Amino acid sequence: MPPKENSQTELELLRHQKRQLEMDIDHLQKHDTLTGLMNRNAFMQAMDEALVELAALEGQAALIEIGIRGLPRISGSLSRHASDYMISSLAARLRFNLPRAALACRLDYWSFAIFIPKAASALEVLTTAKSVINALSLPVDWVDRKLTLEITAGVALSSADDGDAVTLLHNAGLALKSAMEKSGAGYAFFNPTLAQAARRRADIVQFTQEGLEKNWFELNYQAIYDAASGKLMGFEALLRLRHPEQGIIPPSEFISVAEETGVIQKLGAWVLAEACREAAHWPDDLTVSVNISPEQFQSSTLITDVHNALEKSNLAAHRLEIEITESTLLKDSDMVLAQLDALRDMGCPIVLDDFGTGYSSLSYLWKFPFSKLKMDKSFALALEDSPLVPGMIHSIINLARHLGLKVTAEGVETDAQLKLLRAYHCDLIQGFLCARPVQQADVPAVILRNFASEITRQPAVSDNPAAGTV
Ligand code: C2E
Ligand code: MG
Ligand code: MG
C-alpha cells in the first residue's frame, strides 16, 4: 500500500540523515577545522589504542613533533589571515608526505605531529622526519611575498616502559626543544639525558621560587685589583643558591631559569639591596659590581630597585657598578639605552661584561658611554695557548684607551697571564690567581689583608695566590 511505503522511505531517509549528522559531528569532534587534520584529543586517543596493540606485538612506534623556530617573531609579523593560510599550506604538504598508516595531527596553533604506528627502524623514522622538514621548509606564496619558515622536528621512539601517548608526546616535545636550541640539522631524537635535564630544570624552577621565600640565596664576593699597583679596588657580587640538601647551586644553573620564569625581577632586586647593604660597611674607596640580567631591563622596576638599594644602604652611587652583557643591548635597544642613561645619571658606572663574546658589535661602545670593559675570561685563558690572542688583547686595551674606558681582565689564573696583561697596561685584574669568590663573612679578611700589604709595602705580586693580593 503506497502510503505505508512512503512513510517507510521517509523513515529510512531520516535514519540516513541522522547517521550522516552523527558522522559529521564525530568528524568535527576529532578534527581540526582549519586543516582537516586530527585534533590533539583524537590523536592522543588513537595513539593510546595503537600503542596498546603494539605492546602485545612487541613492535615500535614513533612520534615526530614538528615546530617552527623563532615563532613569536614570525607569528607577530603575520596577520591572522596570513597565519591561517600558512598553516593550511603546511598541513597540506604534511598530509602529502605522510608515510602509509601514519596519523597526522595539528597539536597547537603552529605545531603538528606525526604518529608512525609501526616503525621498522630509527633510520626510517629519520627519513620521514627529514622529508617532512624539507617539504615544510619550502617557501609559501602569500600575496606578493614568499614566506619561509624554519622547521624543526623532535623524534621519540616508543619503548616497553614508556609506551603511553602522554609519555611519547612529552619525550617528542623534549626532543623538539633540544632541536630548537641547537643550530644545524633541524631535528633531534629523544634520549634519557633530555628527560634528566628537564627534571633538573623543574627542580631549579621550584628551588628559585622557594629560595626567595626561604632565604636560600646568598652573595659571594670576588676581589678586583688594580693591575699595576695590586691595590684592592672593589668586589664583584656573585649570586649562589644554597639548597638545604643539595648544597651550593651555581648561577650557571639557575639564572637562565629565573629569567625564563620571571623570578629574576625579585631576585635581582634582592641582589642589588644585599650587595649595597654589604658594600656600605666597606672602606669608602671600594666599589661593588652587580650583574644585571637583560630581563631586568624588560620590567619597569630596575631604576626603582637601584634607587631603593642605594637609598636604603646609604651607599654612594659611584660605588655601585652595574655590569651588563652585550645580550642586554640586543633587546629593544632604545628602551635599554634610556634605562642605562638613567642609571648613569644617578651616578652608577656601567661596565660591559664578557666583552669579546656574543656579537661584539663595536657600535655599542660609542652609542653608550660605558665606564669599563670587562674582557671575557676566555681571553685570559687563551693568552698562553694562541699566538694571536696577546695581539688581540693588546688591541682591545688600546681601543678602550682610545674611548677613555678602563679595562678589567677577568679569569686571570696564572702569573704568566698577569705578567702579559700588565705589560699591555690592562687596568684591573680579577681571577682565581688573585682571589676566589668568598662568602660575605670572609670579605673583611680580604680587605684587611690588602690593607696590611699596602702599609707593609709588600711586593705587588703575591707569592701565595690565595692570599688575596695581586
Ligand atoms: P660573570 O659576571 O662574568 O662573573 C665571573 C665568573 O667567572 C664568576 O662565575 C666567577 O666565579 C668566575 N671566575 C672568576 N675568576 C675566575 C678564574 O680565574 N677562572 C675561572 N675559570 N672562572 C673565574 P660564577 O660566580 O659562577 O658566575 C657566572 C655568571 O653568572 C656570571 O658571570 C654572571 O653572568 C652570572 N651571575 C652571577 N651572579 C649574578 C647575579 O647576581 N645576577 C645575574 N643576573 N647574573 C649573575
Ligand atoms: Mg660580571
Ligand atoms: Mg664576565
Side-chain angles (χ1 to χ4, degrees):
M1 290 164 285
K4 205 173 176 192
E5 227 172 65
N6 262 353
S7 61
Q8 189 69 31
T9 321
E10 271 171 26
L11 203 64
E12 273 306 312
L13 195 66
L14 276 174
R15 277 206 191 108
H16 175 74
Q17 281 175 343
K18 185 170 172 257
R19 265 200 309 276
Q20 190 59 47
L21 206 64
E22 278 168 358
M23 274 161 61
D24 287 350
I25 290 172
D26 187 57
H27 185 87
L28 274 177
Q29 274 173 345
K30 290 182 174 164
H31 292 83
D32 165 51
T33 41
L34 178 67
T35 61
L37 297 177
M38 285 178 104
N39 63 27
R40 182 188 273 259
N41 278 350
F43 184 71
M44 296 298 278
Q45 203 179 335
M47 263 209 295
D48 261 333
E49 284 161 14
L51 286 167
V52 170
E53 259 179 48
L54 209 68
L57 300 170
E58 294 190 355
Q60 192 177 47
L63 182 65
I64 306 173
E65 189 174 335
I66 314 280
I68 295 159
R69 196 181 266 145
L71 193 55
R73 185 177 44 78
I74 294 156
S75 57
S77 71
L78 293 176
S79 66
R80 181 72 182 201
H81 198 37
S83 304
D84 282 357
Y85 180 76
M86 291 285 283
I87 288 159
S88 313
S89 311
L90 297 183
R93 291 180 194 176
L94 182 67
R95 205 182 272 118
F96 189 73
N97 282 277
L98 220 51
R100 223 164 49 83
L103 304 175
C105 145
R106 183 176 176 206
L107 264 187
D108 287 312
Y109 189 80
W110 278 105
S111 73
F112 303 99
I114 301 169
F115 177 62
I116 305 174
K118 280 178 198 128
S121 66
L123 189 65
E124 184 198 279
V125 180
L126 178 59
T127 310
T128 304
K130 279 184 175 172
S131 75
V132 169
I133 291 174
N134 290 340
L136 272 57
S137 300
L138 293 172
V140 176
D141 289 313
W142 171 251
V143 195
D144 54 351
R145 287 164 70 190
K146 280 195 183 306
L147 304 169
T148 311
L149 298 173
E150 210 180 326
I151 305 293
T152 42
V155 185
L157 301 173
S158 71
S159 67
D161 51 345
D162 56 11
D164 65 294
V166 170
T167 312
L168 204 56
L169 184 63
H170 178 72
N171 292 351
L174 292 176
L176 179 64
K177 193 164 177 277
S178 153
M180 296 263 194
E181 280 162 7
K182 60 181 188 190
S183 56
Y187 64 84
F189 271 77
F190 169 78
N191 68 59
T193 322
L194 293 179
Q196 248 170 29
R199 275 196 296 275
R200 177 68 178 165
R201 191 188 171 281
D203 283 348
I204 299 286
V205 169
Q206 165 73 21
F207 296 166
T208 46
Q209 280 158 357
E210 209 176 341
L212 261 181
E213 285 162 27
K214 298 186 176 167
N215 295 323
W216 290 348
F217 285 103
E218 59 185 50
L219 290 178
N220 276 195
Y221 295 89
Q222 187 178 27
I224 302 171
Y225 295 93
D226 180 86
S229 67
K231 184 180 180 308
L232 178 66
M233 303 303 285
F235 292 87
E236 177 172 8
L238 294 163
L239 190 57
R240 307 284 181 261
L241 200 173
R242 188 184 289 275
H243 188 272
E245 276 119 45
Q246 303 203 357
I248 291 286
I249 301 175
S252 53
E253 271 209 79
F254 65 77
I255 291 286
S256 60
V257 172
E259 287 174 344
E260 282 168 38
T261 57
V263 166
I264 196 73
Q265 309 300 352
K266 264 193 176 174
L267 189 54
W270 179 85
V271 171
L272 279 162
E274 180 65 12
C276 290
R277 195 187 59 77
E278 171 62 16
H281 301 303
W282 305 341
D284 283 352
D285 58 344
L286 296 184
T287 59
V288 65
S289 307
V290 172
N291 293 285
I292 305 289
S293 147
E295 296 306 317
Q296 288 174 263
F297 284 87
Q298 300 303 313
S299 86
S300 52
T301 58
L302 179 62
I303 307 298
T304 322
D305 291 343
V306 172
H307 182 266
N308 289 349
L310 289 171
E311 198 173 62
K312 203 151 179 226
S313 62
N314 222 4
L315 187 78
H318 72 269
R319 294 181 58 200
L320 171 63
E321 297 195 340
I322 301 290
E323 290 198 6
I324 64 158
T325 55
E326 283 172 31
S327 48
T328 299
L329 297 161
L330 290 178
K331 282 195 183 173
D332 197 347
S333 232
D334 287 345
M335 193 252 269
V336 171
L337 289 180
Q339 291 179 76
L340 287 173
D341 272 332
L343 291 172
R344 198 199 38 188
D345 290 348
M346 278 163 74
C348 300
I350 314 286
V351 180
L352 187 54
D353 198 2
D354 300 346
F355 182 76
T357 58
Y359 290 87
S360 291
S361 162
L362 296 181
S363 68
Y364 299 142
L365 297 181
W366 54 259
K367 270 191 196 157
F368 186 80
F370 290 100
S371 300
K372 281 178 194 153
L373 287 189
K374 211 182 235 198
M375 258 188 300
D376 188 63
K377 53 178 169 291
S378 53
F379 284 95
L381 288 175
L383 240 181
E384 293 159 82
D385 301 335
S386 163
L388 295 176
V389 174
M392 284 179 72
I393 291 183
H394 201 184
S395 305
I396 293 174
I397 294 172
N398 281 338
L399 173 74
R401 195 73 71 243
H402 183 74
L403 293 164
L405 311 182
K406 286 196 182 294
V407 177
T408 308
E410 68 177 357
V412 181
E413 292 186 357
T414 68
D415 281 320
Q417 291 165 357
L418 178 64
K419 214 171 149 199
L420 269 167
L421 287 160
R422 276 181 166 161
Y424 294 148
H425 303 290
C426 180
D427 302 285
L428 298 147
I429 301 288
Q430 180 181 0
F432 293 168
L433 174 73
C434 324
R436 286 185 176 260
V438 296
Q439 288 183 25
Q440 185 187 301
D442 297 324
V443 171
V446 177
I447 296 176
L448 278 176
R449 214 162 29 223
N450 182 76
F451 182 63
S453 78
E454 263 181 42
I455 55 171
T456 53
R457 292 176 196 279
Q458 278 186 1
V461 179
S462 155
D463 293 332
N464 172 10
T469 50
V470 180

